[in-house]
Amino acid sequence: MTQVNLLDFDLDGLAAFCEGLGEKRFRATQLFRWIHQRGVADFGQMSDLAKSLREKLVTRAHVVAPPVLSQHESRDGTIKWLFDVGGGNAVEAVFIPEYADAEGAALERGTLCVSSQAGCAVGCRFCSTGHQGFSRNLSTAEIVAQLWFAEHFLRRHLGVEQRVISNVVMMGMGEPLQNYDRLIPALRVMLHDHGYGLSRRRVTVSTSGVVPMIERLAGDCPVALAVSLHAPTDALREHLVPLNRKYPLDELLRTCTAYLASAPRDFITFEYCMLDGVNDAPEHAQALIELMRAHAAEGLRAKFNLIPFNPFPQSGLTRSPMARVQAFGKLLNQAGIVTTVRKTRGDDIDAACGQLAGDVRDRTRVAERIARQRTVVLHPVGGRTATQEKADS
Ligand code: SAH
Ligand code: SF4
């Protein structure tokens, strides 16, 4: 009998599974809490479940995350895990801590950046995942497992019992809205009080602009929305984000305006990757201001996040100089559009935004890398892995 991975279920799904075993819904709630709130995978330890249920579960189900191929910790506390999702595919999750004090004693916010696909079909020019091509959708279990593993690993590592991850951003590898049916149950696990209990404001879906799915998200599970804009005109955006041919700017921005009616925040975050000599001139800022003004008149409220481009060799692109990024942000802010420049984190371990595929060039390379990394023995965080030593040297 094949075993079902219980990380694949939101609470309703788990209740249906338990009903199939002749069990009542409250049993599913208990099980769900053991798994997600306590991080327990061994049914034998779930002491308040009847022995008969535990026995049924052992034969029919399991709770497993994909194997961790490597774990790297950056000097700034960022931790990146590479998970083996089989068939030569690997995906990454990144934990980004923000501390209230310089000593790093009080964790103010812990953000986990989660992947939704192995590779990506959108093929944005500036994105190393896009350059890999699309391999496959992750299952709900594979999406949830990144949070389940990271949260409980971090609690053990930091020696705490309370929640460590306070925010989730679907900004890892892949386009989450092109894996919609697996994404929604995963979001529900993140939000549910018996799961991770994250508020809708603290779970962000980032999309390159899959218009019909933004509309569906508003009805099914309205979490915070980030839209990767990158350009003020259709001509330039088509060049950078090929999906723009299907869903051009005006249509995308109108959909964002409509999303606000259900959104947990009263603005949409727009991400704008700063590419040297491509989209970073004062004229681009001006065109962007005009575009946003036109849509503000229809009710769009927006904040901008300027992301300094993380270069990778095959892109043929370079990062805008910091002065140009600042000048661009200043123009937007002066026009009344709240704009921040994203700090790059985890640079030294290739965990910075958009670098999640590391130096992976295609799936064959991924397979080779996975084969090599199978031999890496994991040390506790703060220790060093063999690959890290190689990368540092
Ligand atoms: N597919 C979704 C989410 C994953 S990408 C999306 O495109 O929104 C997460 C963010 O990283 C996006 O804003 C994307 O534009 C940005 N990004 C991708 N490659 C990057 C790079 N090389 N440098 C900086 N940001 C990058
Ligand atoms: Fe896919 Fe997002 Fe990368 Fe574009 S930026 S290729 S949508 S992961």
Side-chain angles (χ1 to χ4, degrees):
M1 190 187 298
T2 52
Q3 285 177 307
V4 177
N5 191 352
L6 300 186
L7 296 179
D8 224 15
F9 295 129
D10 59 13
L11 185 53
D12 283 347
L14 193 61
F17 175 76
C18 285
E19 264 165 39
L21 299 179
E23 300 285 340
K24 297 226 162 57
R25 187 181 172 101
F26 81 95
R27 292 289 176 209
T29 305
Q30 286 177 311
L31 188 52
F32 197 72
R33 290 172 65 96
W34 275 109
I35 296 168
H36 296 292
Q37 297 198 335
R38 316 226 1 213
V40 173
D42 174 3
F43 301 122
Q45 284 181 34
M46 301 182 181
S47 48
D48 58 357
L49 295 187
K51 194 153 173 273
S52 57
L53 171 57
R54 283 189 260 152
E55 278 164 4
K56 275 188 251 176
L57 287 171
V58 168
T59 53
R60 301 192 200 184
H62 58 181
V63 181
V64 277
V68 175
L69 290 168
S70 65
Q71 171 182 305
H72 293 183
E73 185 169 9
S74 159
R75 283 183 289 273
D76 65 18
T78 299
I79 304 175
K80 176 177 81 166
W81 294 276
L82 185 68
F83 293 93
D84 177 1
V85 292
N89 293 306
V91 297
E92 293 182 352
V94 181
F95 173 67
I96 307 148
E98 287 170 64
Y99 295 100
D101 56 341
E103 287 77 44
L107 184 64
E108 192 168 46
R109 189 206 295 244
T111 302
L112 190 72
C113 179
V114 170
S115 294
S116 56
Q117 298 180 313
C120 182
V122 178
C124 301
R125 284 189 177 241
F126 50 83
C127 174
S128 56
T129 307
H131 278 247
Q132 272 182 73
F134 177 65
S135 192
R136 72 168 173 84
N137 281 323
L138 297 188
S139 65
T140 298
E142 287 165 334
I143 299 171
V144 169
Q146 296 169 59
L147 175 59
W148 179 76
F149 173 85
E151 173 65 36
H152 297 291
F153 170 85
L154 289 164
R155 282 190 207 177
R156 284 193 303 276
H157 174 59
L158 300 171
V160 297
E161 288 188 5
Q162 71 274 28
R163 192 167 71 190
V164 177
I165 293 167
S166 60
N167 295 66
V168 170
V169 292
M170 297 301 306
M171 291 186 188
M173 298 164 76
E175 169 48 60
L177 294 187
Q178 286 188 339
N179 187 13
Y180 190 82
D181 292 344
R182 283 107 199 160
L183 174 72
I184 296 298
L187 295 178
R188 291 193 173 129
V189 175
M190 296 171 194
L191 299 174
H192 205 288
D193 280 345
H194 293 312
Y196 297 86
L198 300 176
S199 77
R200 293 179 189 280
R201 302 159 61 87
R202 289 174 177 270
V203 175
T204 301
V205 166
S206 175
T207 179
S208 55
V210 192
V211 162
M213 296 302 158
I214 297 175
E215 288 164 355
R216 281 183 64 187
L217 189 67
D220 292 339
C221 196
V223 293
L225 185 68
V227 173
S228 298
L229 211 63
H230 310 309
T233 61
D234 281 320
L236 183 55
R237 193 163 189 272
E238 273 172 23
H239 174 71
L240 297 173
V241 184
L243 193 67
N244 194 78
R245 282 190 214 109
K246 205 161 174 194
Y247 307 114
L249 275 172
D250 271 327
E251 191 185 340
L252 174 60
L253 294 180
R254 276 200 302 272
T255 306
C256 291
T257 307
Y259 190 84
L260 282 171
S262 342
R265 292 181 180 274
D266 57 5
F267 59 89
I268 305 288
T269 304
F270 290 101
E271 296 158 281
Y272 195 102
C273 180
M274 298 295 290
L275 302 161
D276 187 16
V278 175
N279 64 354
D280 62 348
E283 296 76 49
H284 295 116
Q286 209 47 53
L288 197 56
I289 290 164
E290 274 154 38
L291 180 71
M292 297 317 288
R293 276 209 183 119
H295 284 270
E298 294 178 22
L300 181 59
R301 287 178 301 281
K303 288 192 183 172
F304 271 77
N305 207 331
L306 304 182
I307 317 172
F309 170 61
N310 287 306
F312 59 102
Q314 319 83 285
S315 70
L317 298 161
T318 46
R319 179 186 289 190
S320 304
M322 218 43 203
R324 196 119 37 90
V325 177
Q326 297 295 357
F328 196 96
K330 197 170 167 197
L331 286 172
L332 263 56
N333 274 313
Q334 281 168 347
I337 303 169
V338 175
T339 304
T340 50
V341 176
R342 186 177 294 171
K343 282 181 280 187
T344 48
R345 297 287 305 267
D347 265 355
D348 52 328
I349 57 166
D350 271 3
C353 189
Q355 274 196 337
L356 293 185
D359 68 350
V360 174
R361 233 147 273 168
D362 57 37
R363 269 179 262 145
T364 331
R365 288 280 308 275
V366 179
E368 282 168 15
R369 191 159 72 140
I370 287 175
R372 270 204 314 276
Q373 289 186 335
R374 274 192 205 289
T375 56
V376 173
V377 179
L378 277 179
H379 298 279
V381 175
R384 297 157 64 81
T385 62
T387 43
Q388 191 179 359
E389 271 156 22
K390 205 171 119 224
D392 288 351
S393 60

